[in-house]
Amino acid sequence: MGTFTIVLGGIGLFLLGMTLMTDGLKALAGDALKQLLSRFTGGTISSVLSGATITALIQSSSATTFMTIGFVSAGLLTFTQSVGVIIGANVGSTSTGWLVSVIGFKVNMSTLALPLIGIGVFLKLFSKGKLTPHGMALAGFGLLFLGIDILQQGMSGIGDMFNLGAISGDTFLHMLLLIVFGIAMTVIMQSSSAAVVTTLTALYAGAISFDQAAVLVIGQNVGTTVKAIIAAIGSSTPAKRTAVAHILFNLLTGLLALLALPLLISAVFYISDLLYITDQSVSLAIFHTLFNIIGVLLIVPFMPLFIKLVIKMVPEKGEHLTKHLDHSVATVGPVAIEAVRRTLLKIMGLISISFVTVFKGEKPLIYLKKKLEDAENALVEIRIFLTKVNSESVSHSDREYSRHVSMIHAIDHIDRLIKALKEIESIEKLKRDQNTLTLLMKLAKVFEQVSGSIENKQLENLVCLVEMNSKEIAEIRKEDRMNIIKTTAKSQLDVSVAIEKVHSIHWVDRVAFHLWRTMYHLEEKELMEVTDFEVENGPE
């Protein structure tokens, strides 16, 4: 019982250390991870290298997988790019085995771990937040090695407790049992790295043979797919495709490794002899890396076919406005904000093209009203999603804070824009008045430009254009309003008719104003504060 308790405690410390280290490194990387993925995922090779590098840096293939699924959901990565990242993450995950086998078993873990934990905790407690991520990463690193040290102590007697020799053998049943055992280890520990380290420690202590360890590692590699399955539940179609690609790749790689196991083991021992490696734990790290690299080399030439297969397995269920608002990205602040921005742009594209279509007489007014309802429903979802993006998930940098605020401003203006557009009783009635028609034609032109720019993703000069038109409409409105009132005062126009004309041209100005303000905030321009009257009625 004592040995089991020691092993359990060692695994627990390792998992705690891994969690702290991963969280600390992710916080240190911050928005850089998004930038790194966006910049270096142009082609298949660069995507694979990005996935491997990020996983090696943050020491968690699961974290890379979750982030990638989130980035795809947010529209920051294409599904094609994400496949390369996911595949690369498998190779990057083998770095933990190297870290443990090359360093972990060669030095006194307590001597290395305790100072790291102490320094890390002091940084977290006394740096007033500035060095908190550094402290978490250091403390996590120390706990990780302390866990390995305790695992080593426990594993020295594990062979007496569990007779794995009973399931040693070359038969398919024996290997299947070990595969299942390996998968179960990853699922229970919720970390393939922890499962692999446990296997490495057992091998180093002589509790299991190399052949058993190799099959266990294959199972642990396959076990990482469980988290991908969980991440895909209720997510968008691209996110589900990314998860399926991860599952398929791991299953295919595991199957190939199992079928070619004798050949792979021979290759590993040949490489070990060539490099004068006598430690079997290092040889196991070579095995883990080797079969993952072989998997990558075999799948990359057939990547287009692989992607087509996944797309066929997970077909698109139709376009919807809020497809980027995946729950998995809500905890990654920069990505969540970008997901909201892209969703708001989609809403603006829908509103714009719908207004233009109805103005041109191609669709009845009821069509616009229906699309406005869709936009309103999407705004409700955005508000719920944005509520989950709390201050802890958003970086404390001025830029991230201003982006968060900008999105809230944009939601407010879109909401006001929708309310204004819903006031339309008849487009034809508005067209009858020449003053209103002139402004409506300008407004329709602006909406058309907004729609086209969003569709073509060319937003660079759009904000200036919308601002210029909004101000021009405002000037015309002021002039027309004054002329209408003067004409009425001279009894050349019925007062009721005059007021209706004033309301109509004022309505156009209000719509143009909220359109301008929305696009400003979506493009993250610095704006001075406006008065309540301006927000309600447009600039005077």
Side-chain angles (χ1 to χ4, degrees):
M1 187 64 184
T3 302
F4 178 76
T5 307
I6 292 170
V7 171
L8 192 63
I11 293 170
L13 278 172
F14 182 87
L15 285 171
L16 179 61
M18 183 67 74
T19 303
L20 282 174
M21 187 174 69
T22 300
D23 289 347
L25 290 170
K26 278 168 68 179
L28 276 172
D31 201 30
L33 285 177
K34 183 184 80 173
Q35 299 298 332
L36 182 67
L37 278 173
S38 299
R39 189 177 298 173
F40 299 111
T41 51
T44 301
I45 301 300
S46 59
S47 297
V48 171
L49 290 174
S50 294
T53 304
I54 289 170
T55 304
L57 286 173
I58 64 175
Q59 285 295 296
S60 174
S61 61
S62 295
T64 304
T65 302
F66 277 138
M67 281 191 292
T68 305
I69 289 173
F71 291 170
V72 173
S73 297
L76 298 173
L77 288 180
T78 64
F79 164 62
T80 304
Q81 290 172 328
S82 73
V83 174
V85 176
I86 290 292
I87 289 172
N90 270 40
V91 177
S93 68
T94 64
S95 62
T96 307
W98 284 101
L99 189 71
V100 171
S101 61
V102 174
I103 300 172
F105 299 140
K106 306 296 186 294
V107 297
N108 188 320
M109 289 292 96
S110 297
T111 306
L112 179 66
L114 294 176
L116 287 174
I117 295 169
I119 294 167
V121 171
F122 273 106
L123 284 175
K124 179 168 171 46
L125 292 177
F126 301 110
S127 66
K128 295 181 180 179
K130 293 180 181 178
L131 297 175
T132 294
H134 301 75
M136 285 173 63
L138 273 177
F141 203 60
L143 282 170
L144 186 146
F145 279 116
L146 187 62
I148 293 168
D149 186 45
I150 293 171
L151 262 176
Q152 280 182 260
Q153 296 172 33
M155 282 296 175
S156 59
I158 202 78
D160 300 327
M161 291 178 62
F162 298 102
N163 183 19
L164 287 176
I167 53 172
S168 63
D170 298 328
T171 67
F172 179 75
L173 181 61
H174 288 129
M175 288 194 290
L176 186 63
L177 285 170
L178 284 169
I179 289 283
V180 171
F181 194 65
I183 292 171
M185 285 175 72
T186 300
V187 172
I188 292 166
M189 296 179 190
Q190 284 293 290
S191 169
S192 62
S193 295
V196 169
V197 167
T198 304
T199 303
L200 280 166
T201 311
L203 177 65
Y204 185 78
I208 57 175
S209 68
F210 186 86
D211 286 13
Q212 287 175 315
V215 180
L216 280 171
V217 166
I218 294 171
Q220 288 153 5
N221 209 65
V222 173
T224 60
T225 60
V226 174
K227 278 193 175 183
I229 293 168
I230 295 168
I233 296 170
S235 61
S236 62
T237 300
K240 284 178 181 174
R241 286 174 177 171
T242 304
V244 168
H246 174 59
I247 293 162
L248 278 181
F249 176 74
N250 280 42
L251 288 174
L252 287 170
T253 304
L255 183 61
L256 286 169
L258 200 59
L259 292 174
L261 187 62
L263 192 62
L264 278 172
I265 291 174
S266 298
V268 166
F269 284 129
Y270 175 76
I271 294 168
S272 298
D273 291 341
L274 207 63
L275 300 174
Y276 301 103
I277 295 169
T278 55
D279 189 341
Q280 285 199 335
S281 63
V282 179
S283 297
L284 187 62
I286 294 172
F287 173 80
H288 190 196
T289 304
L290 184 63
F291 82 77
N292 273 291
I293 288 175
I294 289 171
V296 171
L297 293 175
L298 288 175
I299 205 76
V300 165
F302 302 101
M303 190 70 87
L305 290 174
F306 182 72
I307 289 168
K308 282 182 181 178
L309 173 65
V310 174
I311 291 172
K312 193 172 182 180
M313 289 176 70
V314 187
E316 184 65 66
K317 291 184 178 179
E319 186 77 3
H320 56 97
L321 290 172
T322 56
K323 73 173 186 176
H324 294 321
L325 303 182
D326 196 284
H327 297 298
S328 61
V329 306
T331 54
V332 188
V335 185
I337 298 300
E338 180 62 17
V340 169
R341 192 182 80 89
R342 295 190 180 210
T343 304
L344 291 173
L345 281 171
K346 285 172 75 67
I347 290 172
M348 283 308 301
L350 176 71
I351 292 171
S352 301
I353 193 63
S354 301
F355 179 84
V356 172
T357 303
V358 172
F359 179 76
K360 288 180 177 179
E362 295 172 7
K363 296 278 187 181
L365 184 59
I366 190 68
Y367 173 81
L368 175 62
K369 299 289 176 101
K370 175 66 176 67
K371 295 302 177 184
L372 291 175
E373 284 179 15
D374 292 341
E376 276 189 315
N377 291 334
L379 281 182
V380 171
E381 288 191 48
I382 290 172
R383 288 190 187 101
I384 294 169
F385 178 82
L386 205 53
T387 303
K388 298 175 185 174
V389 186
N390 53 38
S391 57
E392 292 179 4
S393 62
V394 178
S395 164
H396 293 291
S397 69
D398 291 340
R399 183 172 181 272
E400 286 308 321
Y401 175 74
S402 67
R403 290 186 83 217
H404 200 166
V405 170
S406 289
M407 294 310 105
I408 296 171
H409 273 302
I411 291 167
D412 178 46
H413 283 292
I414 294 174
D415 190 48
R416 293 171 187 269
L417 177 64
I418 291 170
K419 283 182 171 65
L421 289 172
K422 288 178 82 172
E423 291 173 13
I424 302 173
E425 293 178 3
S426 169
I427 288 284
E428 295 308 314
K429 186 179 178 182
L430 287 172
K431 287 181 179 179
R432 287 185 202 134
D433 179 68
Q434 189 56 48
N435 300 86
T436 310
L437 178 60
T438 302
L439 292 178
L440 272 174
M441 289 175 70
K442 284 185 175 294
L443 183 63
K445 186 179 179 182
V446 177
F447 269 125
E448 196 164 16
Q449 288 167 331
V450 169
S451 171
S453 297
I454 291 172
E455 187 177 349
N456 298 321
K457 297 180 180 177
Q458 296 174 345
L459 306 173
E460 291 177 12
N461 303 314
L462 181 63
V463 176
C464 292
L465 184 68
V466 175
E467 179 185 5
M468 183 181 68
N469 278 280
S470 175
K471 288 181 176 179
E472 187 179 342
I473 287 171
E475 287 302 317
I476 294 171
R477 187 262 297 175
K478 289 176 189 176
E479 187 179 336
D480 285 352
R481 181 174 179 268
M482 188 56 68
N483 289 336
I484 291 166
I485 291 171
K486 285 179 179 178
T487 302
T488 306
K490 291 177 182 178
S491 300
Q492 295 174 351
L493 194 64
D494 182 271
V495 174
S496 297
V497 174
I499 295 298
E500 191 174 340
K501 283 176 177 286
V502 169
H503 284 176
S504 295
I505 60 174
H506 200 282
W507 172 84
V508 177
D509 184 24
R510 191 151 48 101
V511 170
F513 172 71
H514 288 304
L515 176 60
W516 161 45
R517 300 294 288 184
T518 299
M519 298 316 298
Y520 249 96
H521 286 296
L522 290 179
E523 282 305 291
E524 302 167 288
K525 300 289 183 183
E526 288 293 327
L527 288 176
M528 59 182 180
E529 289 298 315
V530 293
T531 64
D532 289 339
F533 183 83
E534 280 182 305
V535 172
E536 277 296 332
N537 306 294
E540 277 294 311

